[in-house]
Amino acid sequence: MMPALAVFTGLVIGAIVIAITDANVIAAYGNFLRAPGTALAATWRSIASAYGALFYGSLGSPKELYQAIQIYRSTGDNAPFLRAIWPITESLVASTPYIFGGLAVALGFRCGLFNIGAEGQIGIGALAAAWVGYSITGLPQFIHLPLAILAGALGGAFWAAIPGYLKAKTGAHEVVNTIMMNWISFRLSDWLLNGPMKAPGYRPITPNIEPTATLPRFFPSPIRFHAGFFLALAIAGLVYWFLFKTTLGFEIRTVGANPRAARYAGMSITRNIILAMVFSGALAGLAGASQVLGVDHWVGQGFSAGYGFDSIALALLGKSHPGGVVLASLLFGTLRSGATRMQSLAGIPIDIISIIQGLVIMFVAAPATIRWLYRIRVERIEEVVLTRGWGK
């Protein structure tokens, strides 16, 4: 219930921000004492217009979808149907890397690790998947595509294994090291995209991947909905099974909850920390691979666009549970997809969505605020240990 209330509160405060930044609303409140109804009506129109455009841009219109189905059944013309489902398919496309990235950070949290380097691991995973996608030719799709996906996972796993090893062997804090690894990945990708991996021409991008390495799409262009979304759902189920149904998953959770008890029980702290970071990096690498193989088909500078940093919020909002991460990813994908339409239709800056996301994160991280706002009694429940803290 707390995450739902955090989202609701974020939307309410976002509505207030929308209203107080609307010039028409401000002008109406200048005459509030003489015409309060006009001011209130202007407030409602501003908020309804912004959120209406947001949800129309991310989910579409049920009325238009119904009419499109009727047209298709009567005439066989599927163009209106494709236009009607385009918004929701774009939301699912935006949610796909979020699911992988959120799972990556959540798995680290379960081991008491703060993998803030998902942004860099996504980039390395994307570059590895793209390299296999364009440099290897002549393979059938059922070999080439899994090979490119595997390359993305291995790229992210390798990039996360370095801070994981340093954490386990030397105690070097993973937050500092993963941040540094992010910057190394940014500069490394700049060099690769302007050098060994640069496509012919002036733009710093990789060549397009081979058609045999692309994730299948379910509808004709311009709809970009691809099989990566269902792969992400399957991986989420696999992560749940791994964490809660296997011995190794139990050890990782035990190390995260109480490393002293885990050591007393004979569990290897070093091995579990390294494995948790490797698995976390592999999931982040899959986020980059799914975006390259399913959507872009090439990698350019600034590829990740904040997916890795947003993934921290997704893991927090989802309480580090795979099911919660999937739901949080769908929410953030919907907001991200609808933000552009909100800006174009209602004239509301796209930054409002960032404000709402920031508010949601703040309320999730400070549940006492939500309890105070809604007068919720504190219950004694098992809390998930996110990180061990500095120097421990």
Side-chain angles (χ1 to χ4, degrees):
M1 184 175 67
M2 296 296 289
L5 289 175
V7 172
F8 174 74
T9 309
L11 290 173
V12 169
I13 298 180
I16 295 172
V17 174
I18 290 170
I20 63 177
T21 55
D22 189 324
N24 294 327
V25 174
I26 295 173
Y29 274 89
N31 198 29
F32 180 77
L33 294 178
R34 283 183 292 179
T38 303
L40 295 175
T43 304
W44 170 252
R45 282 196 301 272
S46 176
I47 296 172
S49 173
Y51 280 156
L54 172 68
F55 290 113
Y56 179 73
S58 57
L59 300 175
S61 166
K63 179 181 178 182
E64 291 180 4
L65 179 60
Y66 175 77
Q67 292 173 343
I69 293 174
Q70 295 301 317
I71 292 173
Y72 177 74
R73 292 178 63 181
S74 59
T75 66
D77 181 10
N78 65 354
F81 176 75
L82 295 178
R83 283 196 298 271
I85 65 171
W86 184 82
I88 194 168
T89 59
E90 280 297 293
S91 296
L92 296 179
V93 168
S95 300
T96 301
Y98 274 144
I99 295 174
F100 285 120
L103 290 172
V105 180
L107 197 148
F109 280 164
R110 285 288 178 178
C111 195
L113 300 169
F114 195 167
N115 180 16
I116 204 171
E119 187 81 7
Q121 293 149 23
I122 289 174
I124 296 298
L127 287 170
W131 182 78
V132 171
Y134 74 75
S135 65
I136 300 177
T137 59
L139 293 178
Q141 187 170 25
F142 72 92
I143 295 177
H144 199 184
L145 177 58
L147 202 59
I149 294 173
L150 180 63
L154 291 178
F158 169 74
W159 210 248
I162 298 172
Y165 179 83
L166 293 174
K167 168 76 173 181
K169 290 293 186 180
T170 69
H173 206 283
E174 76 277 6
V175 170
V176 175
N177 286 331
T178 50
I179 290 174
M180 295 300 103
M181 294 297 288
N182 278 345
W183 286 104
I184 295 172
S185 75
F186 298 156
R187 300 291 81 84
L188 177 63
S189 64
D190 287 345
W191 174 71
L192 289 172
L193 294 173
N194 285 284
M197 296 182 69
K198 185 174 182 294
Y202 63 90
R203 297 176 62 196
I205 62 173
T206 66
N208 280 334
I209 62 173
E210 293 289 312
T212 51
T214 59
L215 283 163
R217 293 183 178 181
F218 300 107
F219 300 98
S221 182
I223 294 181
R224 306 183 297 172
F225 184 50
H226 57 84
F229 176 74
F230 296 104
L231 177 64
L233 294 182
I235 293 294
L238 187 63
V239 170
Y240 172 80
W241 171 81
F242 170 72
L243 283 175
F244 298 101
K245 303 296 181 182
T246 67
T247 303
L248 185 55
F250 174 76
E251 289 190 11
I252 286 176
R253 289 189 292 121
T254 305
V255 170
N258 193 329
R260 291 188 177 89
R263 184 180 291 110
Y264 183 77
M267 300 176 188
S268 171
I269 307 298
T270 301
R271 187 193 67 156
N272 281 291
I273 286 177
I274 295 175
L275 284 178
M277 283 300 291
V278 167
F279 293 149
S280 177
L283 290 167
L286 285 174
S290 69
Q291 186 69 13
V292 171
L293 305 178
V295 181
D296 300 329
H297 299 164
W298 48 267
V299 178
Q301 287 181 316
F303 160 80
S304 180
Y307 278 116
F309 296 123
D310 287 349
S311 299
I312 301 169
L314 299 173
L316 288 170
L317 190 58
K319 295 292 183 184
S320 299
H321 190 283
V325 168
V326 170
L327 294 177
S329 301
L330 292 173
L331 171 66
F332 271 47
T334 300
L335 292 176
R336 184 169 183 146
S337 176
T340 306
R341 196 63 179 267
M342 185 176 74
Q343 186 172 27
S344 61
L345 290 183
I348 303 298
I350 199 171
D351 298 324
I352 292 294
I353 295 302
S354 299
I355 293 175
I356 293 174
Q357 290 176 339
L359 289 169
V360 170
I361 296 166
M362 185 181 71
F363 289 130
V364 168
T369 306
I370 295 295
R371 293 193 189 100
W372 177 78
L373 283 173
Y374 297 99
R375 300 294 187 268
I376 298 174
R377 297 178 59 184
V378 179
E379 297 180 3
R380 295 180 63 85
I381 57 175
E382 181 185 358
E383 295 287 346
V384 176
V385 177
L386 299 183
T387 63
R388 293 285 99 211
W390 294 96
K392 295 184 179 180

